[in-house]
Amino acid sequence: MGMEVRRLTEDDAESYREIRLEALEHHPEAFQATYESVADLPLDAYRQRLRRYALFGGFLDGTLCGFVGFFALKNTKIKHKGLMWGMYVKESARGSGLAGKMVEAVVDHARDEVEQLLCSVIADNERASRFYEKMGFELYGTERRALKIGERYYDEEFRVKFLG
């Protein structure tokens, strides 16, 4: 199985749109955006997102099977920090090692810009929590009732990886 991780470009907008909608539809608790809020966005909105943010795609045999974003904070007192956000890997690619390669790509990219890499995960997602811990992200806090979908609340764990 051919595995590749690379920064996504505008040429990947259609594939990115497809997998992002899948992520929002199947795992609404894992993202702040909702499927309904982005389902009708034009393809150009995805191109703009790919221009604006560092988004990395994980490919298996040439098919986009995962994505993760990076954003360096800008304000003077917090510009030593960056956010890793929006991580998703298709069910069929889980356990393949692709997620680890995607995080490694973000870490490599982030080292040139920030000293700390932050991420968050829904506390109920034990598999993701274990994965981030294995990747060197330390738990530093939990926000109770961070998200609410319908009548259900979700707690969110906050994690950090020190890069320097």
Side-chain angles (χ1 to χ4, degrees), residues 16-39 41 46 49 67 88 149:
Y16 172 61
R17 178 184 188 277
E18 182 180 308
I19 193 172
R20 178 152 166 78
L21 291 175
E22 173 186 313
L24 292 171
E25 185 174 32
H26 295 299
H27 300 282
E29 76 287 353
F31 302 92
Q32 290 182 6
T34 64
Y35 179 88
E36 295 77 18
S37 69
V38 299
L41 288 176
Y46 290 87
R49 179 175 273 234
F67 62 87
Y88 176 72
I149 302 173

Side-chain angles (χ1 to χ4, degrees), residues 117-152:
L117 187 57
L118 308 172
C119 72
S120 66
V121 63
I122 294 301
D124 290 351
N125 191 341
E126 294 175 13
R127 182 177 182 174
S129 291
R130 285 191 310 270
F131 167 75
Y132 288 121
E133 188 171 330
K134 181 181 125 187
M135 297 301 295
F137 287 84
E138 303 171 29
L139 178 66
Y140 70 87
T142 302
E143 180 182 354
R144 294 188 60 231
R145 295 182 165 200
L147 297 177
K148 183 178 181 183
I149 302 173
E151 295 303 312
R152 180 164 179 205

Side-chain angles (χ1 to χ4, degrees), residues 64-97:
L64 182 61
C65 292
F67 62 87
V68 63
F70 170 76
F71 179 77
L73 300 176
K74 304 296 182 203
N75 291 341
T76 302
K77 295 178 184 179
I78 58 171
K79 67 182 183 179
H80 64 289
K81 301 179 196 178
L83 303 176
M84 184 174 72
W85 55 272
M87 176 87 166
Y88 176 72
V89 176
K90 286 179 172 253
E91 189 74 37
S92 62
R94 293 179 190 167
S96 69

Side-chain angles (χ1 to χ4, degrees), residues 150-162:
E151 295 303 312
R152 180 164 179 205
Y153 293 96
Y154 294 87
D155 296 348
E156 191 170 10
E157 294 180 351
F158 295 94
R159 296 184 169 270
V160 62
K161 181 178 179 89
F162 295 97

